[in-house]
């Protein structure tokens, strides 16, 4: 990724994959976060979750904290929960997992957010979710109310990126909540 070209195209923030419990830290995490920040792009991170219960979600949160401890994270830390291993879980369990992950992240001083698809959200989460939502819904409008970030496409094109990228719209202005260090 040519992060200078990305920034010049008007992109002001990104979420960089930090990793997962199956593959470990993403091999491009360091390169992407350092180069995005050098280009002036605000950087949040996300972990792709395979957790199936609250203790596993807490473990994933602690893993993220270890992986990001030497970086300036100046956008939300996301819990990406959408894997097929989680589809059989009930809404109370998934909501509790999301809250537990986010509690750990928030207690460490970061701003957490939960990422998932609109259908997974509607079938696997309850109103007891206490944290911001980043919802993927590829349509002309997001059908989930109260989202903070809407991922409207996964086939966008941005200068500096040689492949399709996700296109997200920020409703909650995290720049006023998370100040750069």
């Amino acid at each position: 990724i040519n992060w200078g070209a990305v920034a010049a195209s008007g992109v002001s923030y990104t979420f960089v994959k930090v990793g997962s419990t199956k593959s470990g830290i993403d091999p491009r995490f360091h390169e992407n976060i350092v180069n995005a920040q050098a280009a002036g792009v605000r950087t949040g991170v996300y972990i792709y979750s395979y957790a199936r219960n609250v203790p596993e979600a807490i473990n994933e949160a602690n893993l993220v904290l270890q992986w990001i401890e030497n970086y300036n994270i100046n956008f939300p830390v996301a819990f990406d929960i959408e894997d097929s291993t989680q589809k059989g879980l009930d809404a109370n369990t998934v909501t509790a997992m999301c809250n537990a992950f986010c509690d750990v992240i928030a207690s460490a001083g970061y701003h957490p957010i939960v990422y998932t698809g609109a259908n997974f959200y509607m079938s696997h989460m309850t109103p007891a979710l206490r944290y911001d939502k980043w919802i993927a819904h590829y349509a002309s409008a997001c059908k989930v109310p109260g989202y903070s970030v809407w991922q409207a496409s996964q086939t966008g094109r941005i200068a500096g990126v040689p492949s399709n990228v996700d296109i997200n719209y920020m409703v909650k202005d995290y720049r006023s909540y998370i100040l750069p260090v």
Side-chain angles (χ1 to χ4, degrees):
I1 297 173
N2 177 338
W3 285 102
V6 170
S9 75
V11 171
S12 63
Y13 67 93
T14 189
F15 288 92
V16 174
K17 182 178 183 182
V18 69
S20 76
T21 55
K22 285 196 177 180
S23 61
I25 194 164
D26 187 276
R28 298 227 178 236
F29 171 68
H30 174 78
E31 171 189 341
N32 282 326
I33 199 160
V34 167
N35 292 336
Q37 289 183 349
V41 178
R42 301 284 294 265
T43 50
V45 298
Y46 71 93
I47 185 171
Y48 187 86
S49 176
Y50 292 101
R52 295 188 40 80
N53 55 52
V54 168
E56 289 177 4
I58 290 170
N59 179 61
E60 288 182 343
N62 287 320
L63 192 57
V64 168
L65 293 175
Q66 290 173 7
W67 287 339
I68 67 175
E69 70 182 340
N70 294 319
Y71 297 91
N72 174 26
I73 306 304
N74 54 21
F75 224 61
V77 174
F79 186 52
D80 178 349
I81 185 162
E82 59 181 316
D83 191 70
S84 61
T85 61
Q86 298 151 339
K87 293 203 186 297
L89 300 176
D90 67 272
N92 289 325
T93 299
V94 171
T95 302
M97 290 166 50
C98 292
N99 285 333
F101 176 94
C102 291
D103 287 346
V104 171
I105 297 301
S107 70
Y110 297 97
H111 192 97
I113 191 170
V114 174
Y115 171 89
T116 196
N119 291 335
F120 189 88
Y121 173 81
M122 293 185 334
S123 64
H124 286 83
M125 294 189 201
T126 73
L129 180 66
R130 299 187 312 270
Y131 291 95
D132 292 347
K133 300 180 294 258
W134 172 18
I135 301 295
H137 185 218
Y138 309 139
S140 60
C142 184
K143 65 182 178 181
V144 174
Y147 62 87
S148 297
V149 179
W150 167 37
Q151 185 179 95
S153 173
Q154 62 182 354
T155 58
R157 301 299 294 182
I158 300 285
V161 182
S163 59
N164 289 338
V165 297
D166 298 337
I167 302 296
N168 295 282
Y169 298 99
M170 179 174 43
V171 174
K172 182 175 185 176
D173 186 0
Y174 290 103
R175 291 172 293 216
S176 63
Y177 290 94
I178 306 169
L179 301 176
V181 177

